[in-house]
Amino acid sequence: MPWSEDEAVASALLTAPRRKPLPGQGTGGTSRQDPVSRYECCGAQVVEAHGDYDMHSIGPLAEALKTATETHPKVVLDASGVAFADSTFLNLVILIHQTGKLRVVAPSEQVRRLCAITGVADILQIRETVDDAVAS
């Protein structure tokens, strides 16, 4: 049976490859922050996103959010470090939101604008702090 368009997009998002660093960016050193970090807080999994997210760079974030939803009853996406996000990021957030587990914390101005323009801000559970998100 063929996949619906939504299933195809979801599959692509959740299996997106990791972006390779550009020449001269290297993966070592202390000045480069990982695009995604995770930690546990009061039984919730907090996923911190840093940098730019598009179809070429969404892989690590998609992987982290998918794993978090499979292992924790509540997932908090700290989007304060997102400098750029396009429809790929937005689709991933909506997909994870559909699990009923996602809270979005302190989205950057660019992410807030993207969510407001598309109307997604009205459906997401957006909180100002990780503590607020974990408590809700």
Side-chain angles (χ1 to χ4, degrees):
M1 179 164 125
W3 282 8
S4 73
E5 187 176 328
D6 288 342
E7 290 170 325
V9 169
S11 176
L13 285 171
L14 296 177
T15 59
R18 292 179 152 271
R19 179 166 57 171
K20 294 178 183 171
L22 296 173
Q25 279 186 325
T27 56
T30 57
S31 63
R32 184 177 177 272
Q33 187 174 26
D34 286 335
V36 178
S37 57
R38 299 184 320 177
Y39 63 92
E40 193 165 317
C41 179
C42 301
Q45 179 81 164
V46 179
V47 177
E48 294 180 328
H50 310 280
D52 298 347
Y53 291 96
D54 60 22
M55 66 186 242
H56 301 291
S57 61
I58 200 73
L61 180 59
E63 183 180 316
L65 288 171
K66 179 179 182 265
T67 300
T69 60
E70 292 171 347
T71 59
H72 289 80
K74 190 178 293 182
V75 176
V76 176
L77 172 59
D78 181 343
S80 61
V82 176
F84 171 81
D86 69 3
S87 62
T88 309
F89 174 87
L90 192 60
N91 285 332
L92 175 63
V93 170
I94 292 167
L95 177 69
I96 299 300
H97 168 75
Q98 290 174 340
T99 67
K101 299 179 177 187
L102 183 66
R103 312 295 190 271
V104 178
V105 170
S108 65
E109 186 57 38
Q110 199 276 333
V111 172
R112 283 184 190 273
R113 193 170 337 129
L114 179 65
C115 291
I117 289 169
T118 59
V120 173
D122 296 336
I123 64 166
L124 293 178
Q125 295 189 40
I126 298 175
R127 304 292 187 263
E128 292 304 313
T129 67
V130 170
D131 290 338
D132 290 344
V134 169
S136 67

